[in-house]
Amino acid sequence: MQLIENLKWRYATKKFDASKKVAQHHIDYIKEAVQLSASSYGLQPYKVLEIKSPEIREQLKPLSWNQTQITEASHLFVFCNTVEVTDKDVDDLMQLKAKTNNIPIENISGYGNFVKGKIKEKSAIEMFYWTAKQTYIALSNAITACATLQIDCTPMEGFDANAINEKLKLKAKGLNATVLLAVGYRHSEDTAQNQKKTRKTIDTIFEELK
């Protein structure tokens, strides 16, 4: 039940207290929650950039509609989806899977070939949006981890992805900036914290098919 209370507590923070920093062990907890995220075939086709440089964060701010969370939050993460998943990515996963479970790679080579075949069925645009969807699962885990720790965060789509891709040289890495996550502590002057959470009712969201 505590999880529900924590999710009721959280909100998309509009103004962070720049003087308050999140402890490293809490950041590590959030990172582990991301690392443990579910993904299709277990491929985790994304990378998360932690922007530590104040100078880079200042440069990203005008590319993100000048939102103050970019520079005032304790930490800023850029969740990037992998633009293309290759056979090597699948082979690397199978090797890791075999090593982790202490089984011969031959035992799962058939599954690896199956995954490669399914991935090859996707067009470039289908691949792009498929990996982006996986990235959002990881983002959701990070948001939930923050709520569990009662640390504030704000997921942000309000930015020029092409400009951020260019600024961070993501294209050369085969990555695309999907969504940002600002993490820190709310400012006492953030009026958004006093607003009641507005959500559809459970009966509206769920429908039973009998």
Side-chain angles (χ1 to χ4, degrees):
M1 296 300 291
Q2 189 59 44
L3 174 60
I4 298 300
E5 292 305 311
N6 290 334
L7 292 177
K8 289 179 179 178
W9 170 85
R10 72 153 301 277
Y11 73 105
T13 306
K14 303 304 180 185
K15 183 176 178 57
F16 285 92
D17 187 337
S19 69
K20 295 181 179 179
K21 302 301 179 184
V22 178
Q24 186 59 47
H25 67 279
H26 284 156
I27 294 298
D28 292 342
Y29 180 94
I30 296 166
K31 288 181 177 180
E32 188 169 8
V34 170
Q35 185 232 351
L36 293 172
S37 296
S39 65
S40 292
Y41 309 119
L43 279 165
Q44 297 179 288
Y46 46 78
K47 184 176 286 288
V48 184
L49 308 180
E50 181 180 356
I51 311 300
K52 289 191 171 184
S53 166
E55 291 78 13
I56 294 178
R57 287 172 65 167
E58 286 289 351
Q59 293 167 12
L60 294 182
K61 185 177 178 180
L63 308 180
S64 307
W65 303 355
N66 285 312
Q67 296 178 86
T68 60
Q69 297 98 316
I70 299 296
T71 51
E72 291 181 351
S74 172
H75 289 68
L76 179 68
F77 296 96
V78 181
F79 283 70
C80 306
N81 63 304
T82 302
V83 176
E84 180 184 11
V85 177
T86 65
D87 283 356
K88 183 180 183 304
D89 294 320
V90 179
D91 288 338
D92 289 346
L93 175 62
M94 292 304 109
Q95 290 286 351
L96 178 61
K97 200 174 187 68
K99 181 180 179 180
T100 302
N101 292 280
N102 195 29
I103 57 176
I105 187 67
E106 294 78 14
N107 289 14
I108 55 175
S109 59
Y111 175 67
N113 291 333
F114 165 78
V115 173
K116 291 177 185 177
K118 298 304 292 184
I119 288 175
K120 283 183 172 63
E121 293 176 2
K122 300 182 186 299
S123 66
I125 192 68
E126 287 173 333
M127 173 71 73
F128 182 90
Y129 285 109
W130 177 67
T131 57
K133 289 177 182 179
Q134 310 308 309
T135 306
Y136 276 93
I137 298 174
L139 171 71
S140 181
N141 266 24
I143 293 172
T144 301
C146 286
T148 299
L149 297 169
Q150 295 223 326
I151 291 171
D152 294 298
C153 70
T154 306
M156 308 169 71
E157 288 184 317
F159 61 91
D160 184 334
N162 290 330
I164 286 184
N165 287 344
E166 182 176 352
K167 175 63 67 175
L168 300 180
K169 298 179 173 56
L170 298 182
K171 186 176 180 180
K173 300 177 181 179
L175 299 172
N176 168 71
T178 311
V179 62
L180 312 181
L181 184 68
V183 176
Y185 294 101
R186 65 190 69 175
H187 196 287
S188 60
E189 297 176 359
D190 185 10
T191 57
Q193 65 188 295
N194 300 318
Q195 298 174 6
K196 292 184 178 180
K197 189 179 291 292
T198 305
R199 295 291 188 273
K200 294 180 179 180
T201 65
I202 290 177
D203 288 343
T204 302
I205 295 174
F206 288 86
E207 179 180 352
E208 295 181 0
L209 301 181
K210 299 181 180 179

